[in-house]
Amino acid sequence: MLGFGSSQAIKRHGPRGSFDLPLLVALVGLASLGVVMVASSSIAVADSQHIGAFYYLKKHLFYLALGLVLAAAAMRTELRQVEKYALPLLLLGGAMLVAVFVPHFGMRINGARRWLNLIVLSFQPVEAVKLILVVYVASFLVRHRESVETKFWGLLRPIIVAGVIVLLLLAQPDFGSATLIIAVTIGMVWLGGARPLYLMLMGLPLMPLLAIAATSESYRMKRLTSFMDPWKDPFNDGFQLTQSLMAIGRGEWTGVGLGSSVLKLSYLPEAHTDFILAVIGEELGLAGIVLVMGLFALAVGRGLYLGLKGVEVGQRFAGYVAFGVSLMLGLQAMVSIGVNLGALPTKGLTLPLISSGGSSVLMTCAMAGVLLRATFEINRALDARQMATRMPALAVADANVAAAPREREAVAA
């Protein structure tokens, strides 16, 4: 039974938000599995390079620790503070993408200019731009909701912003990230209420441009043709994919055992980064791959569900941020898994929270922190709405409790 003053107590304490537990479990599970698999897949690579068997594991743990600090900071920061700086952050992201072309500041690795030389470490700006773009598009959808929902021209600005980012990425070149940026932007605008017909009309001119970008470079054409039939040239263009497929096939249902992979021993290229899922498939089998896919499905599903709830209770910015981060993590994971399984051409995208990396691990943790913060604010709004519906009943109950002594006194008199 509710005691006297229940409504006053609720007013005093106010709604209390909470981080989404299933989402948190999924993210921690992915990061934990990542540590184990980076340790297993990178030892042979590091040993062959004579840099110490645990070099990549130590590097991964270092960036993961920094990422956890960023995630903790993001989880404690009100999203309205982030929303205020959406445009300055976008300008900063654009400046970083341009800075990779500045001599001595930008770094060329394997023929691509994707990194900034920060003296003590290198940083890949596109990893930060992924989060910045989500924040900017979410802010735009909140400020121009009616225009986005009803007008064709209301879609132009976020699409143009994404287009400029894509052009800078193609110049590096980074076709995989460029495709991901376009897909997430379109997905966010659609979830923000844009009419599918308008999106189709806007997307039609982009299709031939992406096709030209995909076929304009010889190495991209080789990836496409080798993806269609990797066994046609298994020792050259199809080498990565054939080794990946052999690793996954060797794992069968339950794998050969943790640490017992053979293909990671200088056979499978990028075993600790782009093709880490192949090592998971070999060592943990189909069960390991299903576990990875299940954890991503849980994380993305909870993010999208709570994003819908956020829009429903008026927390539109938090809802759109949840949409964007969930799409970014989910689509990148889908592409990485597809590449490892031979369902998609090689894109050079890491498996979020699992693959070894520096900038990728750091900014994926930051994205996870922002997503968790969004769920906190959405749950807080849901609690507030539930309290609002309970307040009239609680007020009546309090009034009845307060009136009872007076009624007894009147009867006694």
Side-chain angles (χ1 to χ4, degrees):
M1 180 180 292
L2 292 169
F4 180 70
S6 298
S7 60
Q8 286 82 353
I10 290 180
K11 285 181 180 179
R12 183 169 61 253
H13 293 295
R16 294 180 178 180
S18 60
F19 298 109
D20 188 68
L21 183 59
L23 173 62
L24 181 60
V25 169
L27 294 172
V28 171
L30 288 168
S32 302
L33 180 61
V35 171
V36 174
M37 295 314 302
V38 167
S40 176
S41 61
S42 66
I43 290 176
V45 178
D47 193 52
S48 66
Q49 296 173 352
H50 306 291
I51 53 178
F54 295 104
Y55 172 81
Y56 289 109
L57 176 60
K58 292 177 181 177
K59 178 182 176 183
H60 183 80
L61 289 173
F62 171 74
Y63 280 101
L64 185 61
L66 289 181
L68 290 176
V69 172
L70 286 181
M75 291 167 67
R76 295 176 61 86
T77 303
E78 289 283 342
L79 287 181
R80 65 173 180 269
Q81 300 296 327
V82 179
E83 185 180 5
K84 289 194 302 186
Y85 296 101
L87 183 58
L89 286 172
L90 180 67
L91 296 176
L92 175 62
M96 288 193 296
L97 289 178
V98 172
V100 299
F101 301 104
V102 177
H104 306 298
F105 191 42
M107 298 171 61
R108 181 185 292 274
I109 301 176
N110 295 329
R113 284 191 170 275
R114 302 177 187 174
W115 292 266
L116 294 177
N117 182 7
L118 303 181
I119 302 176
V120 294
L121 51 84
S122 60
F123 183 75
Q124 194 170 1
V126 69
E127 299 298 338
V129 169
K130 291 175 184 176
L131 178 56
I132 289 171
L133 180 71
V134 167
V135 170
Y136 172 78
V137 174
S139 173
F140 180 87
L141 292 174
V142 171
R143 290 180 286 109
H144 303 279
R145 177 165 60 95
E146 183 178 351
S147 177
V148 169
E149 292 177 351
T150 60
K151 298 178 182 178
F152 176 79
W153 304 111
L155 310 179
L156 273 182
R157 193 185 302 176
I159 300 297
I160 289 174
V161 168
V164 172
I165 292 174
V166 165
L167 290 176
L168 291 172
L169 291 174
L170 291 177
Q172 292 183 2
D174 188 352
F175 186 75
S177 295
T179 307
L180 185 64
I181 290 290
I182 283 289
V184 171
T185 303
I186 292 175
M188 288 186 68
V189 172
W190 176 61
L191 290 170
R195 297 181 181 180
L197 177 61
Y198 292 166
L199 287 173
M200 289 177 60
L201 292 174
M202 192 166 291
L204 286 176
L206 295 176
M207 300 304 292
L209 293 177
L210 288 175
I212 292 171
T215 57
S216 59
E217 296 288 343
S218 59
Y219 77 92
R220 291 182 191 146
M221 278 299 300
K222 287 181 179 179
R223 285 181 177 179
L224 288 173
T225 55
S226 63
F227 149 73
M228 297 296 183
D229 186 9
W231 302 102
K232 185 178 180 180
D233 190 7
F235 298 107
N236 192 11
D237 295 335
F239 184 73
Q240 280 183 312
L241 185 51
T242 55
Q243 298 300 308
S244 176
L245 293 175
M246 283 191 289
I248 293 171
R250 188 169 177 268
E252 297 185 352
W253 293 100
T254 57
V256 298
L258 186 63
S260 300
S261 168
V262 171
L263 275 297
K264 70 184 180 184
L265 303 176
S266 302
Y267 295 102
L268 178 65
E270 309 295 340
H272 60 303
T273 55
D274 297 353
F275 284 89
I276 195 169
L277 186 78
V279 180
I280 294 175
E282 185 179 4
E283 296 189 348
L284 304 181
L286 179 62
I289 294 177
V290 171
L291 173 62
V292 170
M293 295 175 68
L295 289 173
F296 274 114
L298 176 59
V300 173
R302 291 299 298 176
L304 293 175
Y305 169 76
L306 286 166
L308 289 171
K309 287 293 184 182
V311 173
E312 181 184 323
V313 296
Q315 291 290 318
R316 291 189 172 274
F317 182 70
Y320 295 145
V321 166
F323 286 153
V325 173
S326 299
L327 288 173
M328 193 71 74
L329 292 176
L331 290 175
Q332 182 167 335
M334 184 182 71
V335 171
S336 180
I337 292 170
V339 167
N340 279 257
L341 297 178
L344 292 172
T346 303
K347 293 292 183 185
L349 292 176
T350 58
L351 191 58
L353 293 175
I354 294 182
S355 294
S356 173
S359 308
S360 175
V361 173
L362 190 67
M363 296 312 302
T364 303
C365 288
M367 276 197 285
V370 172
L371 177 57
L372 286 167
R373 180 66 203 188
T375 67
F376 178 90
E377 296 189 9
I378 292 167
N379 284 329
R380 186 172 61 188
L382 288 170
D383 290 345
R385 187 173 69 170
Q386 290 176 355
M387 286 169 51
T389 59
R390 292 171 56 195
M391 284 299 294
L394 290 174
V396 171
D398 288 347
N400 291 336
V401 172
R406 292 194 298 270
E407 292 176 358
R408 287 195 295 269
E409 291 174 1
V411 171

